[in-house]
Amino acid sequence: GAGVSQSPRYKVAKRGQDVALRCDPISGHVSLFWYQQALGQGPEFLTYFQNEAQLDKSGLPSDRFFAERPEGSVSTLKIQRTQQEDSAVYLCASSPYNRDSYYGYTFGSGTRLTVV
Amino acid sequence: DQQVKQNSPSLSVQEGRISILNCDYTNSMFDYFLWYKKYPAEGPTFLISISSIKDKNEDGRFTVFLNKSAKHLSLHIVPSQPGDSAVYFCAASEESNFGNEKLTFGTGTRLTIIP
């Protein structure tokens, strides 16, 4: 597709429920990032993939958070046993690994997760 | 510990005038800086970047200035247009790696252009 696609756009989960958030990056983009944006804050880094390899997961807030990108394209962020503090917009971004130019990440529109 | 700070949550500017958005950082390891623009219900969009080896980078109406000794950068928009109304995020990374950088974002400044 032309841009980064995230689904669902909105998700309401009951506390304790597991959720899965999907990201379709731009075709051919090597790098994929997940960020979490709480209300009134800037995005905060969660994890980074280069192709299927998860090279950095230092931002994942707890072991309830898990991300995968098994075939180097679509990625899923899974949150187990959701808590109210997990309520946020989850942003996915992708980028080509291109030594000739740099235009920053391309972000998706995000998934707004509300835990009730 | 907020490593990238945008101390003005909001800014209103008359159309046609200059908009100046400010950003301060504390991490001396940061050497690549970016500005992103965000409309409601959309993801942030890359606007302009600057490497620490430069003190200015210009792209059309947008200019970013970097004062490394003061750990301060600013984004100038001249002339301001109604379509510039958005939230602007300053971001920084410890190195430029062709789009593979982990970014640290500020909390954003909401810019409103008054027609």
Side-chain angles (χ1 to χ4, degrees), chain B residues 62-79:
Chain B
F62 303 93
T63 303
V64 55
F65 295 92
L66 175 63
N67 182 333
K68 223 183 159 190
S69 61
K71 294 192 178 70
H72 177 83
L73 65 155
S74 60
L75 174 68
H76 292 209
I77 307 173
V78 182

Side-chain angles (χ1 to χ4, degrees), chain A residues 10-65:
Chain A
Y10 303 93
K11 176 70 180 177
V12 178
K14 291 185 177 178
R15 192 170 57 180
Q17 186 180 348
D18 296 350
V19 298
L21 312 179
R22 177 186 168 105
C23 173
D24 279 89
I26 293 174
S27 178
H29 276 195
V30 169
S31 301
L32 185 145
F33 302 82
W34 284 98
Y35 282 77
Q36 179 191 58
Q37 185 176 12
L39 190 63
Q41 302 297 313
E44 289 195 6
F45 171 82
L46 292 177
T47 188
Y48 161 58
F49 291 85
Q50 192 170 105
N51 295 306
E52 67 277 5
Q54 189 175 21
L55 298 187
D56 188 343
K57 53 182 181 179
S58 61
L60 295 176
S62 76
D63 58 8
R64 296 186 296 104
F65 286 71

Side-chain angles (χ1 to χ4, degrees), chain A residues 9 31 33 35 37 41-43 45 48 50 56 58 91 95-99 102-105 107-109, chain B residues 2 32 34 36 38 41-46 49 89 96-108:
Chain A
R9 285 298 310 272
S31 301
F33 302 82
Y35 282 77
Q37 185 176 12
Q41 302 297 313
F45 171 82
Y48 161 58
Q50 192 170 105
D56 188 343
S58 61
L91 293 164
S95 174
Y97 188 46
N98 186 336
R99 290 185 175 274
Y102 177 70
Y103 299 104
Y105 301 167
F107 278 92
S109 297
Chain B
Q2 194 73 26
Y32 194 73
L34 308 92
Y36 279 82
K38 186 181 183 304
E42 294 184 12
T45 303
F46 172 75
S49 63
F89 289 99
S96 169
N97 191 20
F98 310 104
N100 296 293
E101 309 81 5
K102 177 169 75 176
L103 297 180
T104 301
F105 283 84
T107 52

